[in-house]
Every structure is written in structure tokens, then in C-alpha cells.
């Protein structure tokens, strides 16, 4: 029991520190103990400073993160559902081979393809665009694999055959029968894919060179790199900006995570344990 | 099906093939010149790259062992009847999964920074010194991923039928023996899975050292991915960056495959041994 509590403290320390640090002024941060509470809560003041920085570019990064994560999550679900449905319920040549290629591609380190991706996106004019970040993330081998298992186990063949006998076109079957039946799995994949994109750093770092297109992690990296510059201590409370930005970036994820933990766990365990 | 295959080919297969293709050229005055495998020959003599590979393999092994042992202990302890408030602990341990690696590195980075941390000042210990850096990064990665792996183990433990446990308890197993002799062997496939995933992740190590380099000097070739990134964007040598990327991918896949094959062989051996022992015990008891 003691052991469990000690480990829990270890996991909570950085987050608790962040909460406390974001309520201090920069002077207090350097003069008081790391876990000592400040005399006055400066959180609102820090948030105001953050949103004022560089004409409110932080709000822009936040919005960008929502755009990237939201569109990647929705499109991944749609594309994976179509592919998973085809792999689960259609008989076509090369189906098994294709499935194993998809499985094997989960073994390829993602960042290995990122630099070449940059090279390929240049002539397509996708570098420095929203689409350039979103499109590569939609092709998710995990999503296809996860939904294939789910569709194979959950969608009854009789139902699909009955619909075909009634003369329903393939498109209607997919939208009206398959998607509603697999809704729980779609919600799960939506969450996993949203978190994955929100946390992604390397891909947008490589593909974007325009600050106004950055998602939160890349944006905050820009702030962080200012710490080493001489301006950090005098004109700008850069530590406070980085700390407050970090808090505001992870808080929505933590709250969403606590609310939806069950769905996320089902997805992660179904996808990886059954492998 | 078609949209996925299209995206899959365009954004996963094509870049990989194209990476290999570009790695066969060098750039002179903006013009690509075909040089065959010369980039690879150069890469094999590139000391900085190989020392970064050694760095990251050392990191992968150390971090992997520490994290997986911790996750296993947590999952097994939470699976005993003595643990209370299980849902709360599971939630707390899994929470860092929701924290982007960049912010985990920033939080720990500040906690590591001496001017901000009186405890470190008192201990005369600097986690950001070059001697301690690797371990400091191991701590960040363990914080980020231990709960995730624990969750996978916990889930496969709850899938086990309780009959097996009851039979073992009737036979006089205590909680520790139950965990060691029954639960751990049952977890073997999941453990193998997490070992491979963690290894693939470790070989791509980038975020943590890249972020920490804002707080302390870190070599640009500390990990292969940092080397590749610097090669592509600071030195703008894309063909050579592609060469190194292809090599890193090949090394990762090769080692992962070796681990999987080794695990299969060991698994088969231990099953054979168990069968042998059981049959010899039967012979002895008759």
C-alpha cells in the first residue's frame, strides 16, 4: 500500500509542480521553494501575459491543435472504417497479403518516414499547409487493424446479406448499417487518434516553418528556445510563459482523459494485446 | 478501401521508397548526381552516427528494462486482493499518457534545473550534467510510458478466468507465488509485445533530448533522429539524411525481428522443459 502511494506521488509530482508554478510570478519562481505556495495567486495574470505574447499567437496554436487533432481523428475513423470493413467482409484477391502488409507497417518507426515525407511534400506544395500535416496522419495501420477485428466480430453477416437482398447499395450499407453498429469502436478510435495527434511533435516540427500554423507542442518549443536568449530575464517572463502554456496545453487533455478513460483503455488493449 | 490504400501508399510507402531512392544521390550545386551506394559507404564510416546508435540502443535497453519491470510490478500488485482504491491508482499511473512528451520534458526539465530547485542544490546533484543526462531522460520516458504498459498488463490479467487462480489457491499458493508462477507466464505474449513497441519507440528518441537542449547543452548527434534532423535542416543535406533514416529503420526492424525470433525459441524451450519435468514427475510418482 505504501509502495502504491509512493509511486502515485512520483506520477503526480510534475503535474502538481506545474499547477503551483503557474500561479507564481517569475521572481517568486526563482526565489521560493519549488513546492511552496505563492503569497498571491498570479495564475490569471500569467494567462493574460501568455495571451498577450506576440499578438496572441498562443490562441492560434491552441486553435491549430484542435484543427489538426479534430480533423485527423474524424478522417482516420472514416478511412479506417471503410478499409476495415473491406478487409473484414469482402472477398478479394490479395486480401490476406494486404492485411499482413498493414500489420507489418506498424513495426516501421514512424519518424523514419518523416524526413522523406518532407522531401515528397515539397513538390506537392504540401509543406507548410494544414493538409500536409493532416493527410499523412490519416493513414493509420492501427486504426484499420483495430476496426477490422471489431467489424469481423460484431457486424453480423446476415444483416449485410439481408440489406443486399433488399437492394441496398454498398454506400447505404456502410453508412446505415456498419457505422452505427460499430459506434463504440469509432468513439474509441476517435479518442486515441485525437490524443495521438495532439501529442505529435516531430511531424509538424519537420513539415511546418510558419509560426501561425504550429500546433501547441511546436509553438511551446519556440517559447522554450527563447530561455537561452538574453531577452529571457529582462524584458519577458519567459519561464512563466512556458509554464502557463504547458498547463493550458495539458489540462484539457487530462480532463478529457479522466472522462473517457474506459473507452481509451478498451481501444489500446484490444489493438495491442490481441496482436 | 481505396482511400486508405491511396493514403497508405502516398504517405507511408512512397516516402520510404523515395527515401531509398534519394539516398542514392548527392547534391552538387542544387543538381542531384547519382552515386549508387556511396552515401551508405560514407554512413558506415560516420562515427557520429554510430555513436548515436550505440547511445540509443543503450538507452533502449536500460529504459526498457526499468520501465517494464516497474509496469509489471504495478500491474501485479494492483491485481492482488490487498490493494485498495485500485481504480484511483490505475488512473493516476496512466495519466501521463495524456500528457504530450514535449510537456513532460518541459516539466521534468524545470524540475531538473538547479536554479529552480533547492533540493538539487542541497544534494549537489545536477540531472542535466552530461554524466546524468541519459538517466534523466530515462526517468522522463519511464514517467510517460510506465502507466501505459501497466494498463496493457492489467487488461490482459483481467481477461484470465478466475478458475485458474482458485485452483492455485486451493493448492496452497500465496499471492506472491500466484503472481510469479501463474500470472507472469500468462502475461508473456503481452510483455513481448510491449518490449518490441518500447524498443521501436526508444530507437526514435528525439523529443526529450531535443527539448532539454534548451536548458543544457546537448550534442546535436545525441540520438540518430537528432542527427538526421540536424542533417536535413541545419546542414540541408537531404540525401544523406534519407540514407541515415533508411539505416535507422533497417537497424530497428532487424533488432525487433531478432528479439521476436529469440522470444519464440525461448518460449518453446521453456514449454518443452515444463512438459519434460511434468512427465518425469509423473514417472516418479507412479
Amino acid at each position: 500500500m505504501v509502495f502504491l502511494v509512493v509511486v502515485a506521488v512520483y506520477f503526480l509530482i510534475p503535474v502538481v509542480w506545474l499547477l503551483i508554478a503557474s500561479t507564481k510570478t517569475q521572481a517568486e519562481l526563482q526565489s521560493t521553494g519549488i513546492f511552496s505556495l505563492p503569497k498571491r495567486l498570479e495564475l490569471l495574470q500569467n494567462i493574460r501575459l501568455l495571451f498577450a505574447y506576440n499578438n496572441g499567437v498562443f490562441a492560434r496554436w491552441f486553435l491549430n491543435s484542435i484543427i489538426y487533432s479534430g480533423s485527423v481523428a474524424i478522417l482516420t475513423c472514416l478511412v479506417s472504417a471503410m478499409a476495415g470493413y473491406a478487409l473484414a467482409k469482402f472477398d478479394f484477391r490479395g486480401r490476406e497479403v494486404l492485411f499482413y502488409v498493414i500489420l507489418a507497417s506498424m513495426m516501421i518507426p514512424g519518424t523514419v518516414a518523416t524526413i522523406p515525407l518532407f522531401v515528397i511534400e515539397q513538390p506537392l506544395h504540401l509543406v507548410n499547409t494544414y493538409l500536409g500535416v493532416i493527410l499523412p496522419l490519416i493513414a493509420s495501420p492501427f486504426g484499420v487493424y483495430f476496426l477490422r477485428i471489431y467489424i469481423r466480430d460484431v457486424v453480423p453477416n446476415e444483416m449485410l446479406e439481408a440489406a443486399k437482398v433488399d437492394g441496398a447499395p454498398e454506400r447505404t450499407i456502410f453508412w446505415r448499417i456498419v457505422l452505427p453498429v460499430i459506434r463504440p469502436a469509432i468513439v474509441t478510435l476517435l479518442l486515441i487518434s485525437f490524443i495521438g495527434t495532439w501529442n505529435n511533435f516531430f511531424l509538424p516540427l519537420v513539415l511546418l516553418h510558419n509560426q501561425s500554423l504550429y500546433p501547441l507542442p511546436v509553438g511551446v518549443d519556440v517559447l522554450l528556445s527563447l530561455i537561452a536568449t538574453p531577452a529571457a530575464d529582462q524584458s519577458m517572463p519567459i519561464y512563466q510563459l512556458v509554464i502557463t502554456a504547458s498547463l493550458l496545453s495539458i489540462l484539457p487533455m487530462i480532463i478529457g482523459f479522466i472522462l473517457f478513460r474506459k473507452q481509451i483503455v478498451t481501444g489500446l488493449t484490444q489493438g495491442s494485446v490481441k496482436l | 478501401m481505396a482511400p486508405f490504400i491511396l493514403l497508405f501508399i502516398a504517405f507511408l510507402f512512397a516516402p520510404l521508397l523515395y527515401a531509398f531512392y534519394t539516398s542514392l544521390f548527392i547534391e552538387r550545386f542544387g543538381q542531384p548526381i547519382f552515386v549508387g551506394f556511396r552515401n551508405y559507404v560514407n554512413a558506415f564510416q560516420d562515427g557520429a552516427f554510430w555513436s548515436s546508435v550505440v547511445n540509443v540502443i543503450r538507452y533502449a535497453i536500460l529504459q526498457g528494462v526499468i520501465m517494464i519491470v516497474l509496469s509489471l510490478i504495478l500491474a501485479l500488485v494492483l491485481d492482488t486482493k490487498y490493494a485498495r482504491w485500485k481504480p484511483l491508482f490505475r488512473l493516476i499511473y496512466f495519466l501521463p499518457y495524456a500528457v504530450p512528451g514535449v510537456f513532460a520534458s518541459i516539466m521534468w526539465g524545470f524540475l531538473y534545473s538547479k536554479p529552480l530547485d533547492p533540493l538539487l542544490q542541497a544534494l549537489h546533484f545536477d540531472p542535466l550534467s552530461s554524466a546524468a543526462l541519459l538517466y534523466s531522460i530515462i526517468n522522463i520516458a519511464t514517467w510517460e510510458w510506465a502507466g501505459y504498459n501497466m494498463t496493457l498488463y492489467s487488461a490482459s490479467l483481467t481477461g484470465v478466468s478466475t478458475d485458474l487462480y482458485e485452483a492455485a489457491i486451493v493448492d496452497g499458493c500465496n499471492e506472491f507465488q500466484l503472481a510469479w508462477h501463474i500470472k507472469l507466464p500468462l502475461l508473456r505474449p503481452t510483455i513481448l509485445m510491449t518490449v518490441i513497441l518500447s524498443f521501436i519507440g526508444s530507437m526514435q528518441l528525439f523529443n526529450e533530448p531535443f527539448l532539454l537542449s534548451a536548458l543544457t547543452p546537448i550534442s546535436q548527434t545525441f540520438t540518430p533522429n537528432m542527427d538526421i534532423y540536424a542533417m536535413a535542416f541545419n546542414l540541408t543535406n537531404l540525401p544523406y539524411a534519407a540514407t541515415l533514416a533508411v539505416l535507422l529503420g533497417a537497424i530497428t526492424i532487424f533488432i525487433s525481428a531478432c528479439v521476436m525470433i529469440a522470444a519464440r525459441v525461448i518460449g518453446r524451450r521453456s514449454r518443452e522443459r515444463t512438459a519434460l519435468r511434468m512427465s518425469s514427475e509423473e514417472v516418479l510418482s507412479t
Side-chain angles (χ1 to χ4, degrees):
Chain A
M1 220 34 228
V2 177
F3 169 72
L4 290 180
V5 174
V6 170
V7 179
V9 170
Y10 165 70
F11 279 105
L12 287 174
I13 274 181
V15 182
V16 171
W17 170 80
L18 189 68
L19 257 172
I20 295 174
S22 62
T23 62
K24 293 179 181 174
T25 61
Q26 180 130 325
E28 277 179 313
L29 190 69
Q30 275 151 344
S31 61
T32 58
I34 49 170
F35 291 112
S36 60
L37 293 166
K39 283 197 251 345
R40 259 188 49 191
L41 290 182
E42 294 288 347
L43 181 62
L44 282 180
Q45 176 59 22
N46 285 335
I47 291 176
R48 213 169 294 139
L49 276 174
L50 177 66
F51 277 95
Y53 167 78
N54 203 353
N55 300 320
V57 76
F58 181 78
R60 185 68 198 263
W61 294 338
F62 208 102
L63 185 70
N64 287 341
S65 269
I66 293 173
I67 292 172
Y68 291 125
S69 307
S71 41
V72 167
I74 292 168
L75 292 170
T76 299
C77 284
L78 200 63
V79 168
S80 305
M82 290 197 246
Y85 173 48
L87 281 174
K89 299 289 179 187
F90 287 94
D91 252 328
F92 55 88
R93 267 180 57 190
R95 184 172 84 159
E96 293 303 303
V97 177
L98 191 65
F99 181 65
Y100 283 110
V101 168
I102 291 170
L103 259 185
S105 70
M106 285 162 84
M107 300 279 297
I108 298 169
T111 59
V112 167
T114 307
I115 299 285
L117 195 64
F118 171 80
V119 181
I120 261 186
E121 285 199 355
Q122 263 180 328
L124 299 173
H125 301 289
L126 284 171
V127 170
N128 248 333
T129 62
Y130 285 109
L131 222 53
V133 174
I134 293 168
L135 285 177
L137 291 174
I138 297 171
S140 154
F142 169 79
V144 174
Y145 170 75
F146 172 56
L147 289 187
R148 185 199 96 120
I149 299 180
Y150 199 85
I151 292 172
R152 197 191 51 195
D153 295 351
V154 169
V155 180
N157 286 331
E158 296 77 27
M159 210 183 204
L160 300 174
E161 275 153 24
K164 266 178 214 149
V165 170
D166 287 348
E170 227 17 273
R171 193 184 312 165
T172 319
I173 296 178
F174 177 74
W175 287 100
R176 292 285 171 79
I177 298 177
V178 178
L179 276 188
V181 172
I182 60 167
R183 217 168 75 194
I186 293 280
V187 172
T188 300
L189 184 61
L190 206 65
L191 293 166
I192 292 176
S193 160
F194 191 93
I195 295 178
T197 312
W198 190 276
N199 294 0
N200 200 333
F201 174 66
F202 194 64
L203 188 84
L205 177 76
V206 166
L207 295 179
L208 302 172
H209 306 290
N210 182 345
Q211 280 213 13
S212 61
L213 292 175
Y214 284 174
L216 286 167
V218 186
V220 175
D221 172 52
V222 172
L223 280 181
L224 188 70
S225 60
L226 293 177
I227 280 185
T229 63
D233 277 324
Q234 289 108 45
S235 56
M236 256 191 303
I238 205 75
Y239 281 89
Q240 273 338 93
L241 292 184
V242 172
I243 287 168
T244 315
S246 302
L247 181 73
L248 294 189
S249 306
I250 70 172
L251 222 50
M253 292 316 273
I254 289 186
I255 293 169
F257 175 81
I258 292 172
L259 293 176
F260 296 111
R261 194 177 71 100
K262 275 228 170 72
Q263 282 92 326
I264 297 169
V265 171
T266 351
L268 292 179
T269 51
Q270 285 222 337
S272 43
V273 175
K274 277 191 184 169
L275 210 75
Chain B
M1 195 69 224
F4 172 76
I5 294 193
L6 227 69
L7 288 166
F8 188 71
I9 290 172
F11 294 104
L12 203 73
F13 256 38
L16 287 173
L17 281 181
Y18 196 64
F20 182 67
Y21 175 75
T22 11
S23 71
L24 303 176
F25 291 84
I26 53 167
E27 250 174 57
R28 276 285 142 76
F29 311 110
Q31 288 298 316
I33 303 167
F34 183 80
V35 291
F37 286 94
R38 207 161 82 201
N39 279 326
Y40 288 91
V41 174
N42 290 340
F44 273 103
Q45 294 160 345
D46 182 344
F49 177 69
W50 290 105
S51 71
S52 75
V53 170
V54 170
N55 251 350
V56 95
I57 289 179
R58 218 176 76 198
Y59 161 85
I61 295 171
L62 266 174
Q63 197 271 337
V65 169
I66 293 171
M67 176 185 69
I68 295 214
V69 169
L70 177 66
S71 326
L72 270 174
I73 294 174
L74 290 177
L76 289 172
V77 169
L78 280 174
D79 203 54
T80 62
K81 58 176 189 268
Y82 302 113
R84 279 189 296 162
W85 305 312
K86 289 178 194 182
L88 179 69
F89 282 123
R90 288 210 172 105
L91 176 69
I92 292 173
Y93 300 159
F94 191 30
L95 203 61
Y97 171 73
V99 177
V102 166
F103 299 108
S105 309
I106 290 177
M107 291 190 288
W108 280 106
F110 282 151
L111 286 173
Y112 289 155
S113 297
K114 251 188 164 175
L116 296 178
D117 198 336
L119 183 71
L120 293 175
Q121 280 169 8
L123 287 173
H124 296 291
F125 173 65
D126 181 7
L128 292 175
S129 67
S130 57
L133 191 65
L134 194 72
Y135 302 96
S136 303
I137 295 174
I138 288 176
N139 175 50
I140 301 178
T142 304
W143 183 82
E144 286 177 76
W145 295 107
Y148 169 83
N149 289 306
M150 179 213 71
T151 306
L152 298 186
Y153 301 146
S154 291
S156 34
L157 281 177
T158 49
V160 177
S161 87
T162 44
D163 299 356
L164 205 55
Y165 298 157
E166 277 158 19
I169 290 167
V170 170
D171 282 350
C173 260
N174 62 29
E175 284 282 350
F176 180 77
Q177 289 168 323
L178 194 66
W180 187 256
H181 291 295
I182 294 180
K183 292 177 184 176
L184 213 51
L186 281 171
L187 281 176
R188 194 183 276 150
T190 316
I191 296 173
L192 176 63
M193 193 54 227
T194 52
V195 166
I196 303 273
L197 286 179
S198 141
F199 180 78
I200 296 174
S202 295
M203 292 296 282
Q204 304 179 64
L205 183 66
F206 179 83
N207 294 4
E208 292 81 1
F210 185 78
L211 266 289
L212 288 181
S213 61
L215 303 169
T216 183
I218 293 178
S219 147
Q220 278 194 343
T221 58
F222 187 68
T223 76
N225 245 333
M226 289 173 79
D227 190 9
I228 293 167
Y229 179 81
M231 194 54 74
F233 295 106
N234 299 350
L235 305 171
T236 58
N237 188 347
L238 282 170
Y240 193 59
T243 308
L244 297 184
V246 170
L247 271 179
L248 177 65
I251 295 168
T252 309
I253 292 170
F254 176 73
I255 298 180
S256 307
C258 287
V259 171
M260 271 202 271
I261 291 165
R264 200 157 287 173
V265 172
I266 294 168
R268 196 181 303 139
R269 279 226 190 107
S270 79
R271 266 198 302 280
E272 277 164 9
R273 239 192 343 257
T274 325
L276 203 69
R277 198 164 45 207
M278 276 160 77
S279 57
S280 61
E281 275 166 10
E282 264 169 44
V283 171
L284 285 177
S285 63
T286 47

